[in-house]
Structures are given as C-alpha cells and as structure tokens.
C-alpha cells in the first residue's frame, strides 16, 4: 500500500523545499553560463525565467493544498502520462545536477581525480533519503535551512565591497538575453517534484510562507547573478562556482584566512536535499506503474550512480545534452503539467466517475 504519511508536509516545509529546489543550482555554474550567453545582462535572463517559474509555483501550490498528483481527480491514462513525463524530466535533471555536484566538490574540496569517490559517498545518502520519503526530506530541509541562513547572513554582514556598477550597466534587454533564457531552460522550472507532496494542517491554504519563499528565490537568484557580474564583469565566463567565488570577498578572511568553507558546506546540504527531491519524484513516478517503492528508490539511485560513474564522467557531455533540443522536453514537466494538473482539479474535482486512488491497488 502506498505510504501516504511520507508525502504529507506543512506549508512552511513546502516553502523551504521550494526555495532549496529553485535556488540551489542557480548560484553555482549557471551565472557563468548566463554570462557567456548574455554578457552583463545575464541577470535579466535569470530574472525572466524566475518570474515565469512563479506561475508554475502558484499552480503547484494550488494543487498540493488539495491533493497530490498521484491522487489527482483525473482519468488514469492522463495521470500516467503526466507521471511519465515528470519522471523522465526529473531523472534528466538528476543526472545533470549530480554531475554539477561532483564537479563542484572536486574543484572546491579535493583534487580533480577524486570525483568518483565523491559520487560513491553521495549515492548512499540519496538512497537513504529517497527510501525514507518526502516527510523525512521535508524535515531535513527544515533543519538545514537555519544553518544556510546563518552562513548567508554572516557573509553578507562581513562582505567587502569588491564590485562596480559599471560592470552591470548599461541594462539592455536584447536578443542575447532571449538566447540565454532559451539555452538554459533545463536549469529552471524546479517545482514539479513538489506535486508528489500534500500540504496538510490547519494553515495549509495560507500562501504567506510560499509568497515569502518566492520573494527570497527572486532576491537570492537574481542578487547572486548581479553581484557576480558586478565583481567579475566579462571575466565571469571564466569563473565557475559563483556562490563560492563571491564568498571569498569577506572581511574575516584577513583575520582568519579563507572562510568560504562555510559556504561550501551550506551549499552541499542544499544540493543533497535538491537531488533527493528529484530522486523521490522519479521513484514516485515509476511507482505508479510498478510496485515496491523501496526497491524502486534503491534502483533509481544505483542507476544514477552507474550512469554518472561509467557513462558521463565528463561534465561537458551532460552540459551539451541538456543545452540541446532535449531541454525543450523539460517545458512539459516544469510548466505545462502544473497548469494541466490545476485544470484537472477544477474540471474533474466534483466528478463521481473519477477515482483519485485508481493508480494504486490497496493491500491488506
């Protein structure tokens, strides 16, 4: 029988998961990529897609305050198509972001040659969180967000003035910005995995925490992009790991030496939650077609590890694939399905002919 409890979360937990899911990989490699495509106006590309993401977030939240996508009051074939698309898209992103995580660790913590050992430590962690399910993942996110907040406040408070507005001006929304938005679609639209959760509690329809989370997503994502351009200018195309590289401009570094290790630790915690969230979405999608959720969770993480270890050792390979035509497939899961799910909720919500639990067989 499907474990309903593991997917029930509170509004605050949903807001935290939405923030982590959206921001995590927008502040590492993406600023460099956007700078290469849009130059000093890279932050406009970031802002454009984050604003579009807001529509998807609103639709997802409207759905999960009533039900989750597996119990959506819609015809079973429609739900299975939705789940298949979400599952495939989330797995694609899981491979992409696992590659970025190993690259980040190998360049900031260890020698380049140790990325496979990093992967060997990451996969068991993902297996554990994926098997435990959504509720444990939400509580984990709720705990780590305080450490991440403390690190961010510390770095802002002791930040040194290292940039100049000359690197950002003049502001021009041109064809390069549109090109950047198009090319890096796969790094946006992060909320479809949250469709597998159900927001419960007396305040489940209180939108304030989610609204605050979305405002923080805009401020954090666009703010890092702006700061990155202000500090590095056109040279940003050569600077990876933006969040980490901005943290080195800290007044405490003069007294204590580099303090960017706190940023590395904070980001790694966010990355584990983000990757586990994607793994949970893939697992739940497959579970709609096959039984034994725990076995599926283990298999998904092991396939991810094997695929990354043997087939996609070069991050450039993953980058090329996800900036190719395959990126347009992500639009269906990230933007079309949240809107379609909300439409189904209103269209079939009062229909007696649609069985919300038809995807799963009850077991005694």
């Amino acid at each position: 029988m499907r474990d309903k409890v593991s997917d029930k979360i509170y509004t605050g937990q949903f807001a935290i998961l939405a923030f982590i899911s959206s921001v995590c990989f927008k502040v590492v490699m993406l600023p460099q990529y956007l700078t290469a495509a849009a130059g000093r106006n890279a932050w406009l590309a970031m802002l454009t897609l984050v604003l579009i993401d807001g529509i998807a977030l609103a639709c997802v939240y409207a759905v999960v305050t009533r039900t989750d996508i597996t119990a959506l009051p819609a015809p079973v074939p429609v739900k299975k198509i939705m789940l298949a698309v979400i599952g495939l898209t989330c797995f694609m992103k899981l491979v992409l972001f696992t590659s970025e995580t190993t690259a980040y660790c190998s360049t900031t913590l260890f020698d380049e040659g140790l990325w496979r050992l990093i992967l060997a430590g990451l996969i068991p962690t993902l297996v554990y969180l994926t098997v435990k399910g959504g509720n444990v993942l939400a509580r984990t996110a709720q705990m780590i967000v305080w450490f991440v907040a403390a690190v961010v406040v510390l770095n802002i408070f002791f930040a040194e003035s290292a940039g100049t507005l000359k690197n950002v001006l003049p502001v021009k929304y041109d064809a390069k910005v549109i090109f950047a938005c198009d090319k890096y679609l796969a790094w946006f639209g992060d909320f479809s995995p949250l469709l597998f959760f159900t927001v419960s509690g007396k305040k489940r329809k209180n939108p304030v925490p989610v609204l605050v989370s979305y405002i923080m997503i805009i401020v954090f994502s666009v703010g890092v992009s702006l700061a990155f351009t202000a500090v590095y200018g056109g040279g940003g195309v050569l600077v990876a790991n933006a969040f980490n590289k901005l943290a080195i401009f800290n007044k405490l570094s003069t007294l204590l030496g580099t303090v960017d290790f706190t940023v590395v630790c904070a980001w790694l915690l966010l990355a584990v939650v983000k990757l586990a969230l994607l793994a949970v979405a893939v697992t739940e999608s497959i579970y709609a077609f096959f039984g034994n959720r725990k076995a599926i969770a283990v298999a998904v993480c092991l396939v991810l590890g094997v695929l990354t270890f043997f087939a996609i050792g070069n991050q450039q390979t993953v980058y090329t694939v996800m900036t190719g035509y395959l990126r347009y497939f992500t639009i269906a899961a990230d933007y079309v399905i949240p809107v379609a799910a909300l439409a189904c909720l209103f269209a079939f919500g009062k229909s007696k002919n649609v069985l919300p639990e038809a995807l799963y067989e009850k077991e005694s």
Side-chain angles (χ1 to χ4, degrees):
M1 185 175 66
R2 182 168 180 259
D3 185 4
K4 281 284 190 181
V5 176
S6 68
D7 296 326
K8 288 185 177 180
I9 61 175
Y10 296 109
T11 304
Q13 293 173 329
F14 177 91
I16 292 171
L17 283 173
F19 175 81
I20 293 175
S21 181
S22 180
V23 166
C24 183
F25 286 93
K26 288 183 175 66
V27 297
V28 184
M29 307 292 190
L30 188 58
Q32 178 190 20
Y33 297 157
L34 292 179
T35 299
R40 68 183 67 200
N41 293 309
W43 68 274
L44 286 176
M46 182 79 77
L47 177 62
T48 300
L49 289 175
V50 169
L51 289 177
I52 295 174
D53 281 356
I55 300 173
L57 177 60
C59 292
V60 169
Y61 182 65
V63 171
V64 299
T65 53
R66 296 167 175 85
T67 184
D68 64 82
I69 193 168
T70 60
L72 193 70
V76 173
V78 173
K79 284 194 285 188
K80 288 198 171 184
I81 291 173
M82 289 181 175
L83 291 170
V85 172
I86 291 176
L88 183 56
T89 299
C90 287
F91 187 75
M92 289 160 46
K93 289 191 174 186
L94 188 57
V95 174
L96 169 66
F97 294 140
T98 299
S99 174
E100 286 198 0
T101 301
T102 55
Y104 180 88
C105 292
S106 65
T107 55
T108 57
L109 297 177
F110 307 107
D111 294 331
E112 291 284 350
L114 291 177
W115 71 267
R116 287 184 171 86
L117 295 180
I118 297 165
L119 186 65
L122 177 63
I123 296 302
T125 305
L126 293 183
V127 169
Y128 176 80
L129 289 173
T130 307
V131 168
K132 285 297 183 180
N135 185 262
V136 171
L137 183 60
R139 283 182 286 173
T140 302
Q142 200 172 18
M143 289 188 293
I144 69 169
V145 75
W146 294 106
F147 173 72
V148 174
V151 169
V152 171
V153 170
L154 177 70
N155 278 273
I156 292 177
F157 186 78
F158 289 102
E160 288 184 338
S161 178
T164 172
L165 284 177
K166 292 181 180 179
N167 289 335
V168 180
L169 300 175
V171 176
K172 184 179 180 182
Y173 202 100
D174 54 16
K176 291 182 179 180
V177 175
I178 302 298
F179 172 76
C181 292
D182 172 60
K183 187 173 183 178
Y184 297 105
L185 280 171
W187 278 259
F188 294 85
D190 304 282
F191 306 116
S192 56
L194 296 174
L195 285 169
F196 293 95
F197 295 82
T198 301
V199 175
S200 60
K202 295 180 179 179
K203 298 181 180 180
R204 68 182 184 277
K205 294 186 179 180
N206 177 17
V208 174
V210 180
L211 180 60
V212 172
S213 176
Y214 179 57
I215 292 173
M216 293 303 297
I217 289 170
I218 296 175
V219 171
F220 209 77
S221 301
V222 179
V224 168
S225 184
L226 270 170
F228 183 74
T229 302
V231 171
Y232 292 102
V237 298
L238 303 175
V239 181
N241 307 330
F243 193 38
N244 187 53
K245 290 300 189 291
L246 290 174
I248 65 177
F249 298 101
N250 191 303
K251 296 176 183 177
L252 293 178
S253 298
T254 306
L255 301 174
L256 305 176
T258 179
V259 294
D260 62 332
F261 69 92
T262 57
V263 173
V264 175
C265 293
W267 185 84
L268 283 177
L269 291 173
L270 297 181
V272 169
V273 171
K274 166 69 174 182
L275 295 176
L277 182 62
L278 288 169
V280 167
V282 176
T283 298
E284 294 293 345
S285 297
I286 299 174
Y287 186 51
F289 299 89
F290 306 99
N292 200 333
R293 184 185 183 279
K294 290 184 178 179
I296 294 172
V298 173
V300 166
C301 294
L302 290 180
V303 169
L304 170 68
V306 171
L307 184 63
T308 308
F309 189 93
F310 290 106
I312 317 179
N314 187 348
Q315 186 190 352
Q316 184 62 38
T317 303
V318 187
Y319 171 88
T320 302
V321 171
M322 295 306 294
T323 54
Y325 290 110
L326 201 59
R327 71 185 185 273
Y328 294 118
F329 182 77
T330 65
I331 296 176
D334 296 330
Y335 302 108
V336 176
I337 287 181
V339 175
L342 184 60
C344 287
L345 195 63
F346 288 107
F348 302 109
K350 297 181 180 180
S351 174
K352 297 181 180 180
N353 296 323
V354 178
L355 300 177
E357 296 295 331
L359 283 178
Y360 301 98
E361 294 181 0
K362 298 292 184 180
E363 299 177 0
S364 57

